[in-house]
Amino acid sequence: MSKKCVKVNLNSIKRNNKISKHIVKTSKFLSLILRHKPEAISLDLDEYGWANIDELIALSKGNGHSINQSLIQRVVETNDKQRFSISEDGQFIRANQGHSISVDLELEPIQPPDTLFHGTATRFLESIFEQGLVKKNRQHVHLSAARETAINVGKRHGKPSILLIDAQAMHKNHYKFYLSKNRVWLTDHVPIDFIKEETTKRT
Ligand code: HQG
């Protein structure tokens, strides 16, 4: 490969890295605004959590965050966890789950898999086995069908531990489960009777 070619490739890698960083930064900003603090930019969400995209762009600009329609589109399309949805008419955006503010995600209760996973930090275990899993600041307790996902969620908080949730028994006992559009399992509370710590250390 010629020197010129190597240089061109390096430049395009640098440019792509810069674009990726910008997308991640925008995704974090959108998570903050659409899940937790729309008031930070004086944005109004409707009761279902939808924000008007033109308004979001204008108010973000006014608060020092330069975003535009095509950047938002890229964030939605490339997001690793499909965190956001755009409405069919293309005018509105909302987060698929993870809210701390109260919004109606229009989810219907459905039957969960027999076992679900929850990743947490080891230091929370004592309290979890006293109170069960509680939703803390969010609207729901978050669970996953895949162990891998739970490990990654747990790592966000520290040394991870995996909890196995007997979702089948909970379902039989009339606890409700919801599946978000991006396939996160949600419930209100998991009492200790339905939680078991995974003891085989494979993390
Ligand atoms: C823990 C990410 C002590 C709970 C992920 C967790 C997820 C308790 C922490 C989504 C407890 C809350 C949510 C109790 C629960 N005593 N600690 N009784 N009950 N906890 O961030 O589930 O990347 O609110 O185990 O992928 O970690 O943001 O919830 O460790 O789906 O899109 O309290 O966030 O998605 O932490 O994560 P969080 P989470 P995004």
Side-chain angles (χ1 to χ4, degrees):
M1 202 185 285
S2 72
K3 268 189 190 162
K4 196 174 165 194
C5 241
V6 172
K7 200 168 174 191
V8 169
N9 281 345
L10 272 178
N11 282 341
S12 90
I13 288 170
K14 274 187 196 160
R15 201 172 42 247
N16 286 342
N17 279 344
K18 207 170 156 194
I19 293 170
S20 308
K21 274 189 189 157
H22 196 35
I23 288 178
V24 170
K25 198 174 151 201
T26 306
S27 167
K28 288 189 174 164
F29 172 67
L30 290 181
S31 287
L32 173 76
I33 297 301
L34 298 175
R35 287 170 163 181
H36 309 294
K37 278 192 163 185
E39 73 277 10
I41 58 167
S42 309
L43 179 72
D44 284 325
L45 306 185
D46 74 8
E47 62 176 306
Y48 305 105
W50 293 104
N52 178 284
I53 293 178
D54 290 340
E55 243 175 74
L56 169 67
I57 292 170
L59 290 168
S60 300
K61 256 187 204 129
N63 285 273
H65 293 269
S66 169
I67 57 174
N68 57 40
Q69 185 85 37
S70 72
L71 180 60
I72 290 177
Q73 195 73 39
R74 286 195 70 173
V75 169
V76 173
E77 280 165 9
T78 60
N79 197 261
D80 56 344
K81 288 191 188 168
Q82 297 291 302
R83 288 182 178 88
F84 312 101
S85 288
I86 290 184
S87 60
E88 274 173 30
D89 64 7
Q91 290 191 50
F92 297 88
I93 182 170
R94 77 171 171 187
N96 287 327
Q97 39 69 233
H99 298 79
S100 55
I101 49 173
S102 167
V103 298
D104 175 4
L105 290 173
E106 305 159 274
L107 299 173
E108 293 296 329
I110 62 164
Q111 184 172 351
D114 290 355
T115 303
L116 285 167
F117 298 89
H118 179 85
T120 190
T122 308
R123 69 180 192 284
F124 296 151
L125 290 179
E126 199 181 322
S127 159
I128 289 173
F129 280 103
E130 274 167 26
Q131 304 171 359
L133 281 171
V134 296
K135 48 195 173 184
K136 298 232 172 138
N137 296 327
R138 302 204 194 239
Q139 272 199 304
H140 295 101
V141 172
H142 289 221
L143 305 169
S144 65
R147 185 178 177 277
E148 268 320 294
T149 309
I151 295 171
N152 291 331
V153 173
K155 280 181 182 163
R156 290 160 54 247
H157 298 287
K159 185 167 178 270
S161 282
I162 302 295
L163 301 176
L164 306 176
I165 310 303
D166 190 346
Q168 187 186 41
M170 283 181 74
H171 181 65
K172 277 191 190 143
N173 283 279
H174 310 293
Y175 288 87
K176 290 193 179 117
F177 288 84
Y178 308 89
L179 183 60
S180 72
K181 199 167 174 224
N182 59 339
R183 311 201 68 74
V184 176
W185 283 93
L186 307 169
T187 194
D188 284 333
H189 173 229
V190 183
I192 48 176
D193 297 352
F194 303 102
I195 308 174
K196 219 167 56 187
E197 191 190 353
E198 188 183 71
T199 43
T200 41
K201 295 274 180 239
R202 282 186 288 154
T203 47

